[in-house]
Amino acid sequence: MLKIEKSSEMVGFAAAAMVAKQLIKKPDSVIALPTGATPISMYETIVKFVKYGIISIEKAQLFNLDEYVGLTREDPMSFAYYMEKHLLSRIERVQHNIPATDTKDPEREASDYEEKIEKAGGFDLCLLGIGIDGHIGFNEPGTPFSSITHVAHLHPSTIERNSKEFGRGRIVPDIAITVGIKTIMKSRHIVLMATGVEKSSILKESLFGEITSDVPASVLQLHPNLTILVDKECAAKVISNASEFHRMNL
Ligand code: GLP
């Protein structure tokens, strides 16, 4: 299902509403979470939902999708820091997992993380953003669809884009640990968020193009329970004519 929202904030609100729905149905849900600019408004809304007593996350098990290798948890560029800032420090105690950032044995950390996800029963809900090269989590172009949690080597375009966030004088790590594509695809429900015109071409290619590991997000076409949340800016190019609207039952 494709849902077009008025603004990027509304995309975040709609994603948070899906998290809420999932937690009301199953308070001990296992939920996979993304980072990046796109989901910030989702986290803001989740914090509000918790504060107003609409939902409780206490019983849920949260798993972040990925983390850079080589950064400490305290590093403002680590995803652990991002999660503290946008969610964890602002709500009740919660069971939160993220691959260790400063591990000496990333391969081992990746396989332990996969085991933890499996022990938890896999993801009930997996929230995703999308990279401009079509990556999901840090599954870069060329990652096999059969991949489980693994050590990923980042694509030059990802490093270049992320270097803007790291700022001058800081080297972007070129290695990360990411939940794999197979693990993501086993999720009972996947919600993909994409906002802004910058993401529209890759989203279009992912949704309507060939299903290929060159465009990792294209695998999502095979998922039986996928929700795509986009803002108007992103949707404009994705659905470029009326027949596509019609075809997608919009
Ligand atoms: C990052 C993360 C992804 C995220 C993507 C998009 O590299 N590893 O999980 O979905 O890039 O980020 P943004 O929302 O900032 O465009």
Side-chain angles (χ1 to χ4, degrees):
M1 182 180 34
L2 177 72
K3 288 178 108 184
I4 302 170
E5 303 289 344
K6 271 192 188 147
S7 63
S8 57
E9 287 75 25
M10 286 308 293
V11 167
F13 184 88
M18 287 188 168
V19 172
K21 200 172 151 195
Q22 177 65 41
L23 287 171
I24 289 165
K25 191 170 76 183
K26 186 179 175 220
D28 60 349
S29 290
V30 182
I31 301 178
L33 297 171
T35 49
T38 313
I40 290 178
S41 56
M42 173 185 80
Y43 291 123
E44 268 166 18
T45 310
I46 291 175
V47 169
K48 283 185 193 149
F49 283 171
V50 172
K51 285 206 168 134
Y52 298 149
I54 296 166
I55 54 167
S56 163
I57 311 189
E58 247 172 58
K59 293 192 176 124
Q61 291 194 59
L62 308 181
F63 283 86
N64 263 82
L65 284 165
D66 48 13
E67 178 60 288
Y68 290 112
V69 170
L71 303 184
T72 63
R73 286 185 70 86
E74 294 72 35
D75 192 311
M77 293 321 295
S78 73
F79 292 158
Y81 187 95
Y82 171 106
M83 290 307 294
E84 276 299 323
K85 181 175 165 190
H86 294 292
L87 184 72
L88 304 173
S89 65
R90 302 169 68 192
I91 55 167
E92 64 206 340
R93 278 204 159 277
V94 47
Q95 301 170 59
H96 176 251
N97 304 278
I98 187 161
T101 49
D102 46 6
T103 173
K104 287 206 172 70
D105 189 349
E107 304 282 349
R108 177 72 192 269
E109 176 62 20
S111 67
D112 288 354
Y113 202 68
E114 179 72 24
E115 212 178 293
K116 257 196 214 171
I117 296 167
E118 220 176 286
K119 261 198 187 157
F123 303 139
D124 293 300
L125 175 65
C126 175
L127 295 131
L128 293 176
I130 182 170
I132 41 167
D133 59 0
H135 72 242
I136 45 176
F138 263 140
N139 293 285
E140 294 282 25
T143 309
F145 289 167
S146 58
S147 62
I148 57 170
T149 305
H150 63 281
V151 176
H153 294 267
L154 305 187
H155 197 267
S157 69
T158 303
I159 295 174
E160 197 204 311
R161 185 172 190 274
N162 293 2
S163 65
K164 288 178 202 141
E165 288 152 29
F166 274 73
R168 265 208 199 161
R170 283 221 55 183
I171 294 169
V172 185
D174 54 3
I175 303 177
I177 292 175
T178 184
V179 171
I181 293 180
K182 187 176 170 193
T183 318
I184 290 173
M185 287 297 281
K186 281 202 283 189
S187 309
R188 262 82 72 194
H189 183 196
I190 295 180
V191 176
L192 175 69
M193 290 170 268
T195 59
V197 71
E198 181 197 36
K199 298 285 173 69
S200 51
S201 306
I202 193 63
L203 190 66
K204 184 169 188 168
E205 205 180 328
S206 304
L207 298 182
F208 302 112
E210 190 195 340
I211 300 171
T212 162
S213 62
D214 292 342
V215 183
S218 66
V219 73
L220 299 174
Q221 293 182 39
L222 303 171
H223 197 278
N225 191 12
L226 172 70
T227 304
I228 304 142
L229 300 174
V230 293
D231 62 359
K232 278 202 293 194
E233 270 192 324
C234 184
K237 271 202 201 160
V238 173
I239 312 287
S240 47
N241 59 53
S243 68
E244 276 174 345
F245 266 93
H246 187 67
R247 192 152 58 86
M248 295 201 68
N249 259 339
L250 290 167

